[in-house]
Amino acid sequence: MGEYQPLSSVRELDALDGADCLAGYLAGLHGEPEPGSDKSKSYWHGWRNGMMDTGRLPHDEAARNLAAEVVRRHRAH
């Protein structure tokens, strides 16, 4: 992986830019190379999820933990 680290909390997720996440996600869906420092962490997070959703990257522990935290938060509301 590049310069960014996977998110570790929903609080970090809340701080991301949604438009950048979507742009990165679409890039990941299309198998584009990992973005570098010219892109934001939001873009990188989206790219990472697009890559995992297409099976190009494995769903790792960080992704599973964040997903579980999102589900817990949703159920609490």
Side-chain angles (χ1 to χ4, degrees), residues 21-63:
C21 282
L22 178 58
Y25 183 77
L26 294 173
L29 285 179
H30 293 102
E32 293 182 20
E34 182 173 8
S37 60
D38 62 324
K39 301 292 186 193
S40 68
K41 183 163 185 170
S42 300
Y43 185 97
W44 180 83
H45 175 74
W47 171 85
R48 179 175 141 80
N49 278 280
M51 293 292 282
M52 286 188 286
D53 285 353
T54 57
R56 292 182 177 99
L57 282 178
H59 286 90
D60 58 17
E61 184 176 359

